[in-house]
Amino acid sequence: MDHGARLGIDVEVVQRDPGVKGFKVIPRRWVVERTFGRLMHHRRLARDYETHPHRSEAIIHIAMIDLISRRLTSESTPNWRDT
């Protein structure tokens, strides 16, 4: 949270209700899960290839740039899962 505050990002930590047993939907969790799912469409991110965090971060940036550029151009080229 401190790192986010230094960057000017509002970080909201959502805690589970300790009284609830079993599965309960956590608010806004689907946004994170959807993003992870989109990142896993990039083969290099689907496995743990990178040994340094800055390299992994660079690959994540490239994956998100690819995702946004495909949305903007409405291009639907096959990815590695379509083969």
Side-chain angles (χ1 to χ4, degrees), residues 37-74:
R38 288 177 179 160
L39 286 174
M40 289 301 109
H41 280 281
H42 293 270
R43 187 174 182 184
R44 191 154 178 181
L45 292 172
R47 303 287 182 264
D48 194 17
Y49 292 127
E50 308 304 326
T51 56
H52 296 286
H54 66 278
R55 290 182 187 158
S56 182
E57 181 181 0
I59 299 298
I60 290 171
H61 283 290
I62 290 170
M64 288 313 228
I65 289 169
D66 181 52
L67 175 70
I68 290 173
S69 64
R70 285 175 191 249
R71 283 185 179 178
L72 290 174
T73 60
S74 300

Side-chain angles (χ1 to χ4, degrees), residues 1 4 19 21 36 46 49 61 66 75:
M1 289 182 51
K21 300 290 183 192
F36 287 156
Y49 292 127
H61 283 290
D66 181 52
E75 183 180 334

